[in-house]
Amino acid sequence: MKDCKLHYTDSIHYELEQTSRLMKKVTTQLFEKLEIDLSLDEYAALDTVSVNAGICQRDLAKLILKDRANTGRILDSLEQKGFITRFIDTKNNRLVKKMGITERGLRELDTINKKVKQYLESVTKTISDEDIERVQETLKSFRLELEKVVQINI
Amino acid sequence: MKDCKLHYTDSIHYELEQTSRLMKKVTTQLFEKLEIDLSLDEYAALDTVSVNAGICQRDLAKLILKDRANTGRILDSLEQKGFITRFIDTKNNRLVKKMGITERGLRELDTINKKVKQYLESVTKTISDEDIERVQETLKSFRLELEKVVQINI
DNA sequence: ATAATATTGTTGTAAATGCAACATATTTTT
DNA sequence: AAAAATATGTTGCATTTACAACAATATTAT
């Protein structure tokens, strides 16, 4: 019993990784099925921009946990599709590329959010809201602990 | 408040993804710091093999959520490093490549497990054991629900 | 018995990812 | 004021990854 807990496959870290990978797979398949013209990462970025109007690229990169290079590329795609606009501005007297969601992007995001929410709720319907909420809260504390020890170079 | 919950960034799926990515980053950095000569995936595979002696490649692929191609490559590396042995056997009258952990692999795994456990426990020490356990259990039920709807081609 | 289908593993390839190097501009140090 | 350090974004590259095609063998259907 004591030995059991020594294994990675019995750890919360393993469970997290597995669940997350599976979740990603499910969502990717859902996006294909619903013929959504965005990648999962583009969607996450778009959603994050929508609630953080005027955010700059580096700050966005921190939120979506991508590096600056990939964040830039994701934004190129979103801009090219007309879902966001980018503009040069300053932050702490430095030139930065800020962005905002377009009218079209907002409509697209809203559509996707509704579709996805409906579907995903049907997946988690066997799990009580309290459990979900409790997990979410614990994950958040957990994440904050992780942020203290991880070195993020973005 | 109701609208809030519509956003991906407020969903448990987002929290899962973020926490998992962060966790991966932390562990990768830990492996580098401890100068462990295994990738994270190799470690997960080795650990899984150790508790599933005689497993075949495809079954292992299912457990570590990699496709058959990548699983094969990971095993090539582990075999080359002398941590596992592979042998041809049959499963349901079919030829399969089974594997087992070597004496050396077992020692290596044990060393890593101890190091990693010690470190990771220091990370999660601010979170109570009950919370961890509860999250782990809920994640597992969640994962089982996901497995029902996801299409896995391995 | 022959053809079609299924299982398992490998190889090839295109896309995603992260990291380092670079370019530019600004702040801090000397 | 000049030099060093910092912040931000982009480009290039090497690694990882997933997916499809293939090879070999066994099972099932006709």
Side-chain angles (χ1 to χ4, degrees):
Chain A
M1 201 60 185
K2 187 168 157 277
D3 246 30
C4 219
K5 275 290 174 190
L6 272 172
H7 286 293
Y8 175 66
T9 44
D10 294 314
S11 68
I12 188 176
H13 318 97
Y14 179 77
E15 190 66 49
L16 259 176
E17 182 77 6
Q18 297 289 72
T19 313
S20 167
R21 279 187 187 171
L22 212 52
M23 185 69 235
K24 194 179 204 168
K25 233 180 173 28
V26 168
T27 317
T28 303
Q29 284 177 15
L30 175 64
F31 269 50
E32 276 164 18
K33 199 174 111 192
L34 299 180
E35 289 177 349
I36 294 172
D37 187 32
L38 284 183
S39 77
L40 213 51
D41 291 329
E42 287 173 356
Y43 169 55
L46 187 60
D47 191 282
T48 308
V49 170
S50 82
V51 290
N52 295 278
I55 196 174
C56 76
Q57 289 195 193
R58 189 169 204 165
D59 289 343
L60 180 66
K62 286 173 190 164
L63 286 180
I64 63 176
L65 283 189
K66 302 274 175 194
D67 66 1
R68 284 176 289 161
N70 278 312
T71 304
R73 289 175 191 131
I74 290 170
L75 293 174
D76 287 344
S77 173
L78 284 176
E79 186 179 32
Q80 193 263 321
K81 287 172 182 168
F83 294 145
I84 62 165
T85 47
R86 292 202 269 188
F87 51 94
I88 304 292
D89 202 347
T90 59
K91 189 188 79 169
N92 303 329
N93 280 348
R94 285 176 191 282
L95 288 179
V96 293
K97 270 193 170 178
K98 292 187 178 177
M99 68 207 76
I101 192 166
T102 63
E103 190 59 43
R104 192 168 153 219
L106 209 54
R107 263 184 286 121
E108 178 77 2
L109 181 61
D110 206 48
T111 308
I112 298 179
N113 273 335
K114 276 175 188 153
K115 281 185 191 168
V116 170
K117 194 192 180 212
Q118 190 176 20
Y119 178 83
L120 291 184
E121 272 180 351
S122 75
V123 171
T124 54
K125 66 173 180 292
T126 57
I127 302 173
S128 78
D129 285 356
E130 295 110 45
D131 276 355
I132 295 280
E133 205 141 322
R134 203 159 40 198
V135 167
Q136 213 164 336
E137 271 169 33
T138 312
L139 284 184
K140 196 166 182 176
S141 346
F142 188 63
R143 187 153 63 82
L144 293 179
E145 289 303 312
L146 290 178
E147 275 171 11
K148 288 181 192 166
V149 295
V150 78
Q151 187 185 350
I152 303 182
N153 288 323
I154 289 180
Chain B
M1 201 60 185
K2 188 168 157 276
D3 245 31
C4 219
K5 274 290 173 191
L6 272 173
H7 286 293
Y8 175 66
T9 44
D10 294 313
S11 68
I12 188 176
H13 317 96
Y14 179 77
E15 190 66 48
L16 258 176
E17 182 77 8
Q18 297 289 71
T19 313
S20 167
R21 278 187 187 172
L22 213 50
M23 185 68 234
K24 195 181 205 167
K25 233 180 173 31
V26 169
T27 318
T28 303
Q29 284 177 15
L30 176 63
F31 270 48
E32 276 165 17
K33 198 174 113 192
L34 300 180
E35 289 178 348
I36 294 173
D37 187 31
L38 284 182
S39 76
L40 214 50
D41 291 328
E42 288 173 354
Y43 170 55
L46 187 60
D47 191 282
T48 308
V49 170
S50 82
V51 289
N52 295 278
I55 196 174
C56 77
Q57 289 196 192
R58 189 170 204 163
D59 289 343
L60 180 66
K62 286 173 190 163
L63 285 180
I64 64 175
L65 282 189
K66 301 276 174 191
D67 65 4
R68 284 175 289 159
N70 278 311
T71 303
R73 288 176 190 132
I74 290 171
L75 293 175
D76 287 345
S77 173
L78 284 176
E79 187 179 33
Q80 193 262 320
K81 287 172 181 168
F83 294 146
I84 62 164
T85 47
R86 293 203 268 188
F87 51 95
I88 303 292
D89 202 346
T90 57
K91 188 187 80 169
N92 301 330
N93 280 347
R94 285 176 191 280
L95 289 178
V96 292
K97 269 193 171 176
K98 292 187 177 177
M99 69 207 76
I101 192 166
T102 63
E103 190 58 44
R104 192 169 153 217
L106 208 56
R107 263 185 286 124
E108 177 78 3
L109 181 61
D110 206 46
T111 308
I112 299 178
N113 274 335
K114 276 176 187 152
K115 281 186 190 167
V116 170
K117 195 195 178 210
Q118 190 176 20
Y119 178 83
L120 292 183
E121 270 180 352
S122 76
V123 171
T124 55
K125 66 174 181 290
T126 57
I127 303 173
S128 78
D129 285 357
E130 295 110 45
D131 276 354
I132 295 280
E133 205 141 323
R134 204 160 41 198
V135 166
Q136 214 164 336
E137 270 169 34
T138 313
L139 284 184
K140 196 166 183 177
S141 344
F142 188 63
R143 187 152 64 82
L144 293 178
E145 289 303 311
L146 290 179
E147 275 171 10
K148 288 182 193 165
V149 295
V150 78
Q151 188 187 350
I152 301 182
N153 288 320
I154 288 180

